[in-house]
Amino acid sequence: MDRLQLEHSEVDQVNRLLDRHADELWPLDTEEALHRAAVLAHQLPERTQDRVAAFRLEQTSGVLCISGYKVDQDRLGPTPSHWRDRPDRSPAHREELALVMLGSLLGHPFAWATQQDGRLIHDVVPIKGHEHEQLGSSSEALLTWHTEDAFHPLRGDYLTFACLRNPYAAATTVGYADHLDLPDGAREVLMQERFGIRPDESHLAKNNSEPGMDAFDDINEMQRNPDLVAVLFGDPAQPYIRADPYFMIVPDGDQEAQWALDALVKAMDNAMFDMVLDGGDFCFIDNYRVVHGRKPFTPRHDGTDRWLKRINLTLDLRKSRSARPVAAVRAIH
Ligand SMILES: O=C(O)CCC(=O)C(=O)O
Ligand SMILES: [Fe+2]
């Protein structure tokens, strides 16, 4: 994992940029604001731009954490009890803008019509009743490692987090795909289209406010009948990964595929390590090179819980053009 510790002068530079443009870039989820943020991102400290470019060019590990920014906890107020509770004027607008600008150095923010009601910026907070689910909003159960939105061919190239607070140091888990200790023959099998990945819980109609939306028809179809895909791809010696074992199946009778998948799970379980995000950390995860999850923790549900902002990034908006109603809409339907 790579860490960039911002110096005081660099934090000042970021804050001045936010001071100057926070009002102008409200709301943040419009095409105009995203365009403007991408231009302003070139005023971020040069060392930050340099490290993000190195990360994009795969010269560094698949995880980059930028630390040193200070979050004004009083301005934030209490952690919401549900992502739906986002107020019109987000108290974390500065951190959201910082995340969008940093992300714009890497790729293009996009959303899913079928996740968190199509919002571009997600809130990751523990939700009462979700404690034991396989969801970002779970807490007491291990969130098993996964590629973000692994089931979908248009999944993001990167996943980004801004940590607003994490008072009990709940650990995100991370594992690299390119150094796995796999038994002979497993790698070859994992590179073949022999694995089905069903949509994860966050895309199900029951976890959104408009369950009748057409976009859920496609999700339901992928649920019933997932395409068979490869789990490893690219360079066999340093492969990319697409996996979410909790939601995966192999066709009946394909014992070799099941063996290879089991071997992958075992190898990755052994390779996972903890990454504790703290308030003010901005974290970038390469969704092709790295899988992630989260260790269990005990939520408080009293307004002081862990709170992350999350944005998906793609390197290529054109790939999803036919799945977005107009070019200026970033939500994939
Ligand atoms: O809460 C975390 O650290 C990670 C949760 C997660 O997998 C996600 O938000 O995609
Ligand atoms: Fe995730």
Side-chain angles (χ1 to χ4, degrees):
M1 169 188 156
D2 289 85
R3 192 176 280 276
L4 171 64
Q5 180 69 39
L6 296 178
E7 291 167 5
H8 286 305
S9 61
E10 293 171 322
V11 176
D12 288 348
Q13 189 177 339
V14 172
N15 275 319
R16 280 197 305 274
L17 192 57
L18 296 172
D19 290 343
R20 274 201 302 275
H21 299 287
D23 287 344
E24 173 201 345
L25 277 98
W26 178 263
L28 194 44
D29 57 357
T30 65
E31 199 58 17
E32 296 72 25
L34 294 172
H35 172 171
R36 185 85 182 113
V39 174
L40 293 171
H42 298 282
Q43 295 177 36
L44 287 165
E46 183 166 342
R47 214 165 55 102
T48 302
Q49 296 192 46
D50 182 80
R51 290 295 286 273
V52 175
F55 174 76
R56 177 164 41 79
L57 295 169
E58 301 190 11
Q59 292 165 357
T60 62
S61 80
V63 188
L64 172 64
C65 186
I66 302 178
S67 305
Y69 175 88
K70 296 276 174 296
V71 179
D72 177 350
Q73 294 292 329
D74 293 339
R75 166 172 45 81
L76 282 191
T79 303
S81 54
H82 198 290
W83 54 258
R84 272 194 201 106
D85 298 343
R86 180 189 170 92
D88 268 352
R89 183 99 199 179
S90 167
H93 177 54
R94 281 176 82 84
E95 290 71 31
E96 293 177 4
L97 175 54
L99 187 61
V100 166
M101 285 197 293
L102 287 164
S104 302
L105 296 172
L106 259 186
H108 311 285
F110 75 96
W112 300 99
T114 51
Q115 193 182 43
Q116 293 207 6
D117 292 350
R119 288 183 193 161
L120 188 77
I121 300 170
H122 296 159
D123 287 284
V124 179
V125 293
I127 296 178
K128 245 188 200 153
H130 291 186
E131 287 84 353
H132 298 281
E133 303 288 327
Q134 285 296 311
L135 281 167
S137 50
S138 65
S139 48
E140 309 264 12
L142 173 75
L143 181 56
T144 55
W145 61 259
H146 56 278
T147 301
E148 195 68 6
D149 306 307
F151 71 101
H152 206 289
L154 298 172
R155 68 197 174 283
D157 291 277
Y158 307 103
L159 177 68
T160 67
F161 294 114
C163 180
L164 302 179
R165 58 173 66 117
N166 186 9
Y168 29 68
T172 304
T173 58
V174 187
Y176 300 123
D178 53 3
H179 288 104
L180 288 174
D181 188 13
L182 291 167
D184 284 350
R187 199 173 289 264
E188 289 70 20
V189 176
L190 291 164
M191 293 191 86
Q192 294 164 7
E193 292 174 352
R194 292 164 74 169
F195 306 87
I197 311 178
R198 292 206 171 103
D200 65 79
E201 302 269 328
S202 69
H203 288 268
L204 301 187
K206 67 173 183 184
N207 285 319
N208 282 273
S209 306
E210 260 191 78
M213 206 173 44
D214 286 352
F216 291 112
D217 295 346
D218 291 342
I219 296 288
N220 292 337
E221 179 54 26
M222 291 189 228
Q223 184 81 13
R224 275 190 301 271
N225 207 0
D227 286 341
L228 294 184
V229 299
V231 166
L232 300 180
F233 57 102
D235 176 1
Q238 274 195 309
Y240 295 131
I241 191 166
R242 172 183 186 178
D244 190 349
Y246 191 90
F247 296 99
M248 286 173 70
I249 50 152
V250 298
D252 278 348
D254 192 348
Q255 285 171 4
E256 194 181 40
Q258 189 63 57
W259 164 78
L261 183 59
D262 291 346
L264 173 79
V265 170
K266 196 164 160 222
M268 191 61 94
D269 281 348
N270 289 333
M272 296 299 288
F273 60 92
D274 289 359
M275 173 178 69
V276 177
L277 296 177
D278 199 3
D281 287 348
F282 294 89
C283 175
F284 300 85
I285 291 180
D286 187 326
N287 203 33
Y288 276 51
R289 294 195 287 153
V290 165
V291 296
H292 68 280
R294 191 188 51 234
K295 291 256 178 84
F297 65 94
T298 305
R300 298 171 174 168
H301 300 307
D302 65 353
T304 67
D305 270 313
R306 180 177 188 261
W307 187 5
L308 310 183
K309 294 282 173 177
R310 178 179 68 190
I311 303 180
N312 287 298
L313 302 176
T314 178
L315 283 172
D316 185 2
L317 274 172
R318 294 175 184 191
K319 277 193 302 201
S320 62
R321 180 60 192 85
S322 64
R324 291 179 291 113
V326 294
V329 166
R330 295 284 178 105
I332 295 178
H333 285 249

